[in-house]
Amino acid sequence: MAAGRHRPHRDPARQAALPVLAALLLFAVVATWLQVARTDLDWTRATLSLYLHGPYAPWLRSAYCVLAAAIVALAIALHLRLRGPARRGLPLALFCAAGTGLATVAVGDSWLPQHAPALAPLVHALAAQTAFLCVTTAMLLQAWCFGRDRRWRGAYPLAWGWAWLAFAGLWLHVLWRDTPRGLGQKAVIALVLGWLALAAVQLWRLPRLR
């Protein structure tokens, strides 16, 4: 290669899309596998948090931490690739708060029940609620931002509608207590994972930065 030849510009934000997709797939596979492996739990009634204890629990705790890192990485990548009025700090902050909450659930449930049994339920509840509320709100705001960047407008209608579906599903799960708790929570989680995957795919499909 000639000394003066221009080398292609690397785009770290775009390159983050594939590891994020791999992390989402890993979490989905582990969570789905546990629905079959844990025969002691009724998957329609047991929330995913119950799988953080008992057989195979370390697998799910690890998957929680991987998902938390993926959420933060995707948020940073999206922030870097959006331009002008579409680049907002609030979605980034909310995604990071959601990732922190998710990791807190996993780490806290690994040792708090033994060392601080009275504190463990409170930490778990606050961290889990923070994760759900922050990630669904961040999805709505980030989808709205997609419509403010011409390169992302193709993804805006689906991302916007999907985010609203996840947000409404979360509140339906919270307020309608007669539904199977496990089934409702896992449906919301599936919607969140799908939206994150959609954003990661769109991030990968964007043209490289010059």
Side-chain angles (χ1 to χ4, degrees):
M1 179 180 292
R5 185 174 296 178
H6 176 70
R7 293 185 177 181
H9 178 73
R10 298 189 66 184
D11 185 358
R14 180 176 180 271
Q15 291 173 349
L18 293 183
V20 167
L21 285 170
L24 295 175
L25 179 60
L26 173 66
F27 181 86
V29 168
V30 171
T32 303
W33 166 65
L34 284 174
Q35 308 311 299
V36 178
R38 292 291 302 273
T39 56
D40 57 315
L41 296 173
D42 180 354
W43 71 274
T44 64
R45 298 186 178 277
T47 61
L48 201 58
S49 301
L50 295 179
Y51 295 79
L52 291 169
H53 306 277
Y56 313 115
W59 286 92
L60 186 59
R61 294 174 192 162
S62 300
Y64 265 49
C65 292
V66 170
L67 178 59
I71 290 173
V72 173
L74 178 62
I76 294 172
L78 292 174
H79 184 74
L80 292 175
R81 288 307 307 268
L82 289 164
R83 293 290 181 266
R87 178 183 284 186
R88 302 287 183 175
L90 185 55
L92 173 61
L94 287 172
F95 275 129
C96 290
T100 301
L102 190 60
T104 300
V105 169
V107 175
D109 276 35
S110 66
W111 62 273
L112 272 179
Q114 292 77 31
H115 295 86
L119 185 62
L122 176 61
V123 171
H124 177 96
L126 290 176
Q129 291 168 11
T130 297
F132 271 115
L133 185 58
C134 286
V135 76
T136 51
T137 304
M139 286 160 49
L140 277 173
L141 293 174
Q142 193 71 82
W144 179 84
C145 290
F146 289 164
R148 272 58 189 171
D149 189 321
R150 61 180 180 81
R151 300 172 306 159
W152 287 84
R153 283 177 189 157
Y156 166 72
L158 182 57
W160 179 245
W162 200 320
W164 270 113
L165 184 61
F167 190 78
L170 173 62
W171 284 104
L172 180 65
H173 171 69
V174 170
L175 297 176
W176 190 8
R177 307 298 295 182
D178 292 335
T179 58
R181 307 310 297 161
L183 185 60
Q185 188 211 46
K186 290 162 192 171
V188 174
I189 292 172
L191 288 171
V192 170
L193 291 178
W195 190 97
L196 296 173
L198 171 67
V201 169
Q202 186 64 20
L203 178 66
W204 176 253
R205 292 175 60 187
L206 282 180
R208 296 178 184 271
L209 290 178
R210 302 297 182 185

